[in-house]
Amino acid sequence: MAALMARMTGPSPPGISSSPPSTSPPAASQPPNSLPVRTIPGSYGWPLLGPISDRLDYFWFQGPETFFRKRIEKHKSTVFRTNVPPTFPWFVGVNPNVVAVLDVKSFSHLFDMEIVEKTDVLVGDFMPSTKFTGDLRVCAYLDTSETKHTQLKKFAMDILKRSSSKWVQTMVSKLDIMWAKIESELSKPNPGTYIPTLQQFLFEFLSICIVGADPSTSPELSKNGFFYLDTWLALQLLPITYTGSFGQPLAELTVHSFPLPFWLAQGGYNKLVEFVEKEGKEAIQIGQNEFGLTPNEAVHNLLFILGFNAYGGFSVFFLSLFNALGDEKNKGVLEKIKNEVREKVGTDSSKLSFESIKEMELVQSFVYETLRLNPPVPLQYARARKDFKLASHDSVFEIKKGELLCGYQALVMRDSEVFDDPESFEAERFTKEKGKELLNYLFWSNGPQTGTPSHSNKQCAAKDVVTLTASLFLANLFQRYDSITISSGSITAVERVAK
Ligand code: HEM
């Protein structure tokens, strides 16, 4: 690994280098001359038939991971041409042709904003209707060359900065409510799933911190707000989401065959808009006065940040965090994590802060490792801004302007040239000096964990807030409980700490 890092470390991609990270992320834009130039292997197949056959492999016969793995094996390359969903018949004008980039080095090109652009490619060539976002293209769909992207990215980062003073306290008080509900459910003969309770917690906590609006002022929204978001998210994402073998072939004839209409989410979305307009006046005014946004732009971007980026991201991420907590193999390390938490902050939740959590190396490493193996946003796309040479570990490929690159993080983050024993969950992987170095190659946020989100790149605005929030969540859990048992996706027991 050390040799590889030496080969990869170099000038950082322009999109990231505008605000230099603490250590150098992988160099993308300057492939070493020593690598052989190779024609990109793979093909898009016959018109219509090629895309359909790839789509069925992806969604049905293989699933995303095997889909990409099999093609790496077949082409003996981590860079190749393929089709990705959605495809024919009713995705008119959507081009499924991509160049897959599936190792750390080739994937890094996605961060270099001088050679790639990100106009409307958040989820690939397909873009859900702007009806879902108030007839606007929101921040995540904008390229860095667009002035509006600069305004909106700065707005998003400003919201996070302002909310930092109430973030931890709000989270802890809402967690008190969440755990009380989960405990009361556990006392019943047939406890239900914890997922709706977790989502309600996320919705309330994130609404307060991001929009400045407390849903508990409206019983209707407090109860159903997260469900409105779930529906709105599902309708946008189902056409490109792997649903498992469950429901096949029905899914191929329905949700994977045509864009889903906004009107099914309209009622709930309009209620959320009203809520933001009424309760989030301060945030809207900041958007207008300090970032030159119209009220409409502020409202729909706030809702997208709240519902898609934050609520959507955490809903997926926390499920993998719970799975990692429930894994028998992690029992030993969870004891160590508990000891670290108790040693640093005891069991008093008022001692939790962004500062105190930064001292918990093992807690943070557990979070990073969860993100490495289960990146919540597994696919990332970018379009070539110009012709350029793209390097993988072993070859260089010619990319033409306009070609769409597609990276599947779940495989990229298991690149054996960078991560030792890449398939196994090593909770302590990101500790000590070697672990800190590896953060250069942790890409869940569409950039290295050592990078700095800014208006000149497309890295997640909340790169640090996300990992710190998950770490706080874990620390709070071990302040509260001596142990938690999670089995088949359900919390089955908790042992409260003796006070
Ligand atoms: C677990 C939670 C989260 C995950 C997994 C996540 C992940 C990501 C990813 C992968 C991207 C880049 C998408 C792309 O262009 O390909 C992104 C962008 C973004 N995220 Fe996050 N995110 C999370 C939470 C948040 C939160 C709490 C905020 C609140 C401010 C946020 C704000 C943004 C914004 C504004 C962008 C667009 C960046 C740009 O256009 O330059 N995210 N996020």
Side-chain angles (χ1 to χ4, degrees):
M1 185 191 75
L4 177 96
M5 284 181 174
R7 262 198 285 149
M8 289 189 58
T9 306
S12 48
I16 292 156
S17 61
S18 57
S19 322
S22 51
T23 46
S24 311
S29 47
Q30 295 165 358
N33 296 330
S34 54
L35 293 176
V37 178
R38 193 179 162 190
T39 305
I40 302 173
S43 85
Y44 301 127
W46 289 91
L48 299 183
L49 295 180
I52 274 272
S53 147
D54 281 338
R55 173 183 129 188
L56 294 181
D57 277 349
Y58 184 95
F59 278 143
W60 192 356
F61 304 126
Q62 296 174 338
E65 187 165 329
T66 310
F67 175 90
F68 287 116
R69 270 194 205 282
K70 283 217 177 269
R71 283 155 181 77
I72 291 178
E73 278 164 29
K74 180 175 167 199
H75 303 304
K76 302 204 168 20
S77 173
T78 46
V79 176
F80 53 84
R81 295 186 189 282
T82 188
N83 299 292
V84 289
T87 66
F88 180 80
W90 289 293
F91 286 98
V92 180
V94 176
N95 182 350
N97 303 165
V98 296
V99 175
V101 285
L102 298 174
D103 63 90
V104 160
K105 194 166 178 182
S106 57
F107 188 92
S108 309
H109 295 76
L110 297 177
F111 314 146
D112 186 339
M113 297 310 298
E114 248 184 31
I115 57 172
V116 298
E117 55 121 342
K118 296 273 286 181
T119 311
D120 299 334
V121 293
L122 178 66
V123 293
D125 196 56
F126 163 67
M127 181 183 172
S129 161
T130 51
K131 288 203 175 1
F132 284 96
T133 47
D135 290 319
L136 294 171
R137 288 170 62 237
V138 289
C139 184
Y141 288 101
L142 305 185
D143 181 47
T144 46
S145 61
E146 298 178 64
T147 315
K148 195 57 74 190
H149 175 264
T150 302
Q151 290 169 269
L152 289 168
K153 185 81 176 268
K154 286 185 173 173
F155 177 49
M157 292 195 295
D158 185 74
I159 288 169
L160 283 172
K161 205 166 141 207
R162 282 173 202 268
S163 67
S164 61
S165 58
K166 61 180 169 195
W167 194 274
V168 181
Q169 203 198 351
T170 310
M171 179 174 171
V172 169
S173 72
K174 292 288 173 190
L175 278 174
D176 286 344
I177 300 170
M178 182 189 95
W179 286 115
K181 277 192 200 157
I182 290 177
E183 282 183 36
S184 109
E185 193 66 27
L186 278 178
S187 61
K188 294 182 186 162
N190 293 311
T193 165
Y194 65 89
I195 294 172
T197 314
L198 174 71
Q199 290 200 312
Q200 190 171 31
F201 149 73
L202 285 172
F203 174 64
E204 296 205 349
F205 146 60
L206 293 167
S207 295
I208 295 173
C209 290
I210 291 172
V211 183
D214 189 348
S216 56
T217 54
S218 148
E220 211 272 307
L221 264 193
S222 177
K223 186 162 163 254
N224 298 322
F226 73 94
F227 172 73
Y228 297 149
L229 285 181
D230 285 342
T231 312
W232 174 75
L233 284 167
L235 291 169
Q236 290 173 78
L237 295 176
L238 266 174
I240 47 132
T241 303
Y242 173 59
T243 49
S245 46
F246 173 79
Q248 299 288 1
L250 192 63
E252 293 324 310
L253 294 170
T254 54
V255 294
H256 289 159
S257 265
F258 46 84
L260 300 171
F262 169 62
W263 61 262
L264 289 168
Q266 191 165 14
Y269 187 75
N270 288 348
K271 285 185 191 159
L272 291 165
V273 168
E274 270 170 42
F275 167 65
V276 173
E277 282 172 343
K278 191 161 152 242
E279 307 287 336
K281 285 201 176 74
E282 199 183 323
I284 298 169
Q285 256 160 24
I286 291 169
Q288 283 180 265
N289 301 340
E290 297 188 21
F291 299 96
L293 305 177
T294 65
N296 223 22
E297 285 169 343
V299 168
H300 292 284
N301 275 282
L302 276 169
L303 249 183
F304 194 84
I305 292 171
L306 167 69
F308 198 108
N309 297 125
Y311 171 83
F314 276 118
S315 291
V316 177
F317 178 25
F318 274 12
L319 292 190
S320 24
L321 205 57
F322 271 101
N323 284 344
L325 280 170
D327 192 333
E328 277 291 305
K329 287 196 266 330
N330 292 333
K331 263 210 151 135
V333 83
L334 290 175
E335 269 309 300
K336 284 196 195 172
I337 288 183
K338 185 170 75 185
N339 292 340
E340 181 179 70
V341 173
R342 305 267 173 99
E343 194 188 300
K344 301 284 181 198
V345 286
T347 55
D348 177 359
S349 64
S350 70
K351 295 218 170 99
L352 281 181
S353 64
F354 284 135
E355 285 67 42
S356 64
I357 207 73
K358 284 181 192 156
E359 287 170 25
M360 299 183 206
E361 193 188 28
L362 194 49
V363 172
Q364 290 189 81
S365 179
F366 190 91
V367 166
Y368 293 142
E369 183 67 343
T370 307
L371 285 165
R372 182 183 74 85
L373 281 180
N374 304 283
V377 183
L379 286 158
Q380 252 104 67
Y381 295 88
R383 198 176 291 287
R385 210 182 275 281
K386 56 184 180 188
D387 294 358
F388 69 92
K389 289 191 168 54
L390 176 141
S392 69
H393 291 313
D394 53 23
S395 307
V396 171
F397 305 88
E398 310 260 359
I399 302 287
K400 293 278 168 227
K401 180 179 174 178
E403 290 198 281
L404 189 62
L405 306 181
C406 162
Y408 183 64
Q409 281 222 34
L411 282 189
V412 176
M413 290 293 92
R414 295 177 208 189
D415 184 336
S416 60
E417 294 236 18
V418 173
F419 299 103
D420 299 335
D421 197 4
E423 299 295 328
S424 78
F425 186 99
E426 299 290 341
E428 300 183 48
R429 187 184 296 275
F430 292 96
T431 61
K432 310 205 175 80
E433 271 317 297
K434 191 178 165 197
K436 286 201 187 94
E437 184 63 25
L438 278 179
L439 290 177
N440 283 315
Y441 307 95
L442 182 69
F443 293 162
W444 70 268
S445 62
N446 192 40
Q449 192 60 29
T450 46
T452 308
S454 86
H455 61 274
S456 49
N457 64 41
K458 289 288 288 180
Q459 185 161 28
C460 175
K463 181 210 76 173
D464 292 321
V465 172
V466 167
T467 53
L468 292 172
T469 301
S471 302
L472 285 160
F473 184 87
L474 276 187
N476 177 267
L477 187 144
F478 284 110
Q479 285 192 311
R480 194 180 290 269
Y481 301 117
D482 275 335
S483 72
I484 178 163
T485 314
I486 301 168
S487 155
S488 316
S490 293
I491 298 173
T492 51
V494 289
E495 193 187 332
R496 251 190 179 280
V497 64
K499 289 264 180 190

